[in-house]
Amino acid sequence: MSNPDPISVFRTEAAELLEQIESGLLDLTRNLADRDQVDAVFRGLHTLKGSGAMFGFDALAAFTHHCETAFDRVRKGEVPATHELVSAVLSAQDHMRALLETPNGDHDAVSAALLENLQRAVDGAGASPAAAIDATGASAGAEGMLREWRISFCLPTNAMVNGTNPLALLDELRALGECRIVADTSAVPPLEALDPREIHLAWTVTLKTAHGRSEIEDVFIFVMDEMTLEITETGAETPRASATVVPAAKPVSIVPADPGQSAGTADAKQAKPASAENVRVPAERLDEMMDRVGELVIAQSRLTQLAGADADLGLRSVSEEIERLSGELRDTMMVLRMMPVASLFSRFRRLVHDLSRETGKEIELITEGESTEVDKTVIDRLADPLVHLVRNSIDHGLETPDDRVAAGKPPKGRVVLSAHQTGGEVIITIKDDGRGINRERVRAKAEASGLVQPGVALTDQELLQLIFQPGFSTAQQVTNLSGRGVGMDVVKKTVEALRGTIDITSRPGEGSEVALRIPLTLAIIDGLLVRVGRGRYVIPLSAVEECLELSIEEDLRSRGRSFISLRDSLVPFLRLRELFRTGTQPDPYQKVVVISTGTERVGLVVDQIIGDHQTVIKSMSKLHHDVVTFSGATILGDGSVALILDVAHLVAAGQQQEAQLRAAG
């Protein structure tokens, strides 16, 4: 197996650093005085700059240096953190992504404009009087006196493997002033057990310097989160004029320590808990492994079928064991592919921040159920639809602060992103407390566009679903956010491609809520295998409510109305034999499989219910992309193909048939 490309690894880690920086900046907007967030953003920028220079991304390192300098001034109290400064660094962070992706591109003009904006933000912030006094006092003290510090540290054993050079850290400390270094060798193992790639030393450094604690901490900024570090000021002060500074060319004095001298440091090193081991795996390898598990499930289904037709008890025993193991492997693989929706929701903090500044609206983003897990493919595909829905809520739903106050609402609007799991699907909801959907305007726009004939009666849900039609928009004018009628139809197509559905509710003056119901996984599902005529089909088990028997008498009695009575409620049903034009006679005792999506229910009439089936989903070919009745196919144990029914489409067809029957009646 080939070694990973270092540049590719750096790009991945740099992208994570940029996400951490963005998250820290957005957290800082809530509390500009949060020192921890200021330090976190500074460390992220410092690490990105150093790593970029190390891997040859000189333009990225040079640009990031200016942002780092700005936050270093904030960290030292020279300038306060302001919303303008945070916004300037957020814009600069977007440019860092471009420098990361295309390091050889022509970015000079954009870089210059962003740096000018950053300088204006820093100059506009100015230095607070208290900070200026503190800085002056500290500087005056530093001019006349040297302070003595005791620095004890030990690095993780794998530090050198990860690229950390202990001698370079000691050289940086020496550059700060006069230092005496003592090495603790008490944790060094015997020679036969020594691994030259590991570090077993600890160090105690006595440093006389005019610099403060922050400059000393900066030496360890790349490894601070993984090491044990203790910095103590001894209190000794020496006039600067009498200080003896170690020349740069003079070698560092390293004195072996007594075994008991630095026992505390060694104990701290031994007592440090081992960090959790995580392995970075490319998504393509997970997809490939999922394909192999799918093939194994198909082979296991074939083995089960053969064993069931054979009287050999040994073969049956092996078949049952393989079935158990393949089921456990499938469940394990599913867990590996699951990701918390927090990774999806976190992207919208920046979007809401930018839209708030662009529209002049005060917006609060609230996220709930971030620990809910969904298949990674679902996470990837839902990113764009959720962007459209959030932008739509902010532009069409939320009012301006003045309008909200006039309506008796708080000036700050709320957008709530939530997720929770129910059965085999996850429901992701986008809710706002804005003005709600103007149904009269939707109706007028639909009639003007020819989507609805004047005077035709529509249910509230049918009327609201019109906003997902291509080209539909109720915006009065085209803006950067909306007005072109593009976006909401993309949401519907994407959700339906994921075998999901969309529910929408709205209350005038109170707000709107859009709920996306998405399957937990798109790879392997539990299905109900049924027979219609000579063909076999799979119904996703998560959508099945119950199964009923439909006798010949009930079948004849329901001709022309296609309803069954189910606990005092009428449920429309579809005869799949007629829908699929099988050309066969119905079985004497047909079955009705009642399926549901949310509050809507439809019955499917089939000839036989064969049983449950682990379904490995295979996508349809491009030639069948317009066949909306089926969402995919699967291979059965005997090698034949069974089509997977698209539940959302069948429910919609049943509801349409119900509306037609009621209109005719």
Side-chain angles (χ1 to χ4, degrees), residues 621-642:
S621 71
K622 294 181 179 180
L623 295 176
H624 302 91
H625 71 280
D626 56 344
V627 181
V628 294
T629 309
F630 308 109
S631 59
T634 187
I635 302 175
L636 302 178
D638 59 1
S640 60
V641 174

Side-chain angles (χ1 to χ4, degrees), residues 362-431:
E362 298 180 20
I363 308 169
E364 179 184 11
L365 175 66
I366 300 174
T367 56
E368 301 172 350
E370 293 176 289
S371 60
T372 305
E373 294 188 331
V374 191
D375 190 288
K376 74 172 190 66
T377 305
V378 175
I379 293 284
D380 294 339
R381 295 188 189 177
L382 277 183
D384 287 342
L386 285 181
V387 167
H388 288 301
L389 291 173
V390 171
R391 291 169 68 96
N392 194 70
S393 291
I394 292 173
D395 190 39
H396 290 283
L398 297 183
E399 310 95 331
T400 61
D402 293 341
D403 291 341
R404 291 182 63 84
V405 171
K409 298 180 180 181
K412 179 178 289 187
R414 299 177 63 188
V415 175
V416 182
L417 272 175
S418 64
H420 67 277
Q421 181 181 341
T422 57
E425 62 184 8
V426 63
I427 301 177
I428 298 178
T429 305
I430 302 91
K431 183 179 180 181

Side-chain angles (χ1 to χ4, degrees), residues 442-459 462-467 469 472:
V442 171
R443 175 91 192 198
K445 180 67 176 180
E447 292 180 355
S449 303
L451 297 174
V452 176
Q453 295 300 319
V456 174
L458 295 175
T459 65
E462 290 172 340
L463 182 64
L464 294 177
Q465 288 287 336
L466 289 173
I467 67 175
Q469 293 294 322
F472 190 92

Side-chain angles (χ1 to χ4, degrees), residues 189-238:
L191 184 60
E192 58 273 12
L194 182 64
D195 186 341
R197 297 170 299 179
E198 296 181 347
I199 298 177
H200 299 282
L201 296 175
W203 291 270
T204 300
V205 180
T206 302
L207 174 65
K208 289 184 179 180
T209 179
H211 297 283
R213 177 185 294 270
S214 61
E215 284 81 1
I216 299 174
E217 290 178 345
D218 285 350
V219 172
F220 305 97
I221 196 165
F222 286 106
V223 290
M224 187 175 292
D225 294 334
E226 302 173 353
M227 68 181 297
T228 300
L229 174 65
E230 182 181 350
I231 303 175
T232 307
E233 186 175 2
T234 62
E237 293 187 353
T238 307

